[in-house]
Amino acid sequence: MTAHSNGVLLAAGRTFRCALGRSGVVRADEKREGDGASPAGVWTVRRALWRADRLEKPLTALPLQMIASDDGWCDAPGDPAYNRPVRMPWPTSHEVMTREDGLYDVVVVLSHNDNPPVPGLGSAIFLHCASEDYTPTEGCIAIARDELVTLLEGMSTASTLEISPAVLP
C-alpha cells in the first residue's frame, strides 16, 4: 500500500481517496510530536483495533483487538508509556481511542517510532477511518471506513504501508 501526498492510497490493485497530515508529509527523521505531519517511509502494519459497538468484527489475518471504553494512546513525550496504548484515566497527554466522531472505529497500528519509541518523534501514526469530507489528519492516513474494512481482509503482519510525498501524474 502506498499513500501519496496528493490524497491517493494505492492498495490491492485499487486507488482510494485518502487524507494525510494537515502539515503534509515530512521525512521520518524530521517528524515531531504534534507537528500534524505524516512521516514519509515504509511502515509495517502491526495490528488492528476496532469498535465492537460500531461494527462487526472485521476479517483480517492481523492481530485484532476490540477497543475498550478506557483505551487510550500516550502521546506525552516525557511519559515512559510514550507511543504505547494506555488505560484511562491516564495522567499525561493521550489519545482517546473511543472517539465520538467515528475516526477510530477501525484503526491499523503502524510501526512508526515504536521499536523503541523515541520521545518527541511522533506517536499514534495510524491508518484509520476518514471523515466524510476527508479533513486532514494529525499525521495519520485515513480512508473511508468501508474501504478500510475491505483492505483489512488482505492485511497481515507482513503488510506494509508507504507514505510518499511523491505526486502521481
Side-chain angles (χ1 to χ4, degrees):
M1 291 183 288
T2 302
H4 293 273
S5 60
N6 63 339
V8 173
L9 174 75
L10 303 174
R14 294 179 54 199
T15 300
F16 302 92
R17 181 177 179 193
C18 74
L20 291 169
R22 63 177 156 69
S23 300
V25 175
V26 297
R27 290 187 352 214
D29 63 345
E30 294 175 349
K31 173 73 182 144
R32 297 295 179 265
E33 186 65 45
D35 64 4
S38 297
V42 178
W43 311 110
T44 302
V45 173
R46 298 289 195 208
R47 65 186 181 281
L49 314 169
W50 101 101
R51 293 277 304 265
D53 60 326
R54 301 253 175 110
L55 69 153
E56 292 184 26
K57 184 177 181 179
L59 298 174
T60 186
L62 287 171
L64 185 63
Q65 178 183 345
M66 182 174 58
I67 296 172
S69 61
D70 62 348
D71 281 345
W73 199 280
C74 183
D75 59 9
D79 192 304
Y82 179 67
N83 200 25
R84 300 274 190 232
V86 295
R87 292 280 180 220
M88 301 181 307
W90 193 254
T92 61
S93 179
H94 59 277
E95 293 259 0
V96 174
M97 298 304 292
T98 53
R99 292 176 65 134
E100 292 301 316
D101 59 13
L103 297 184
Y104 287 180
D105 285 1
V106 180
V107 174
V108 176
V109 179
L110 303 176
S111 65
H112 174 73
N113 191 31
D114 72 344
N115 191 22
V118 176
L121 294 188
S123 65
I125 304 300
F126 303 137
L127 170 60
H128 64 73
C129 304
S131 62
E132 282 189 30
D133 62 356
Y134 289 80
T135 301
T137 70
E138 294 297 313
C140 297
I141 305 92
I143 65 174
R145 186 175 92 170
D146 61 334
E147 294 172 342
L148 181 51
V149 169
T150 298
L151 281 179
L152 273 177
E153 292 179 21
M155 286 187 197
S156 72
T157 54
S159 300
T160 59
L161 189 148
E162 179 181 10
I163 302 173
S164 172
V167 177
L168 296 173

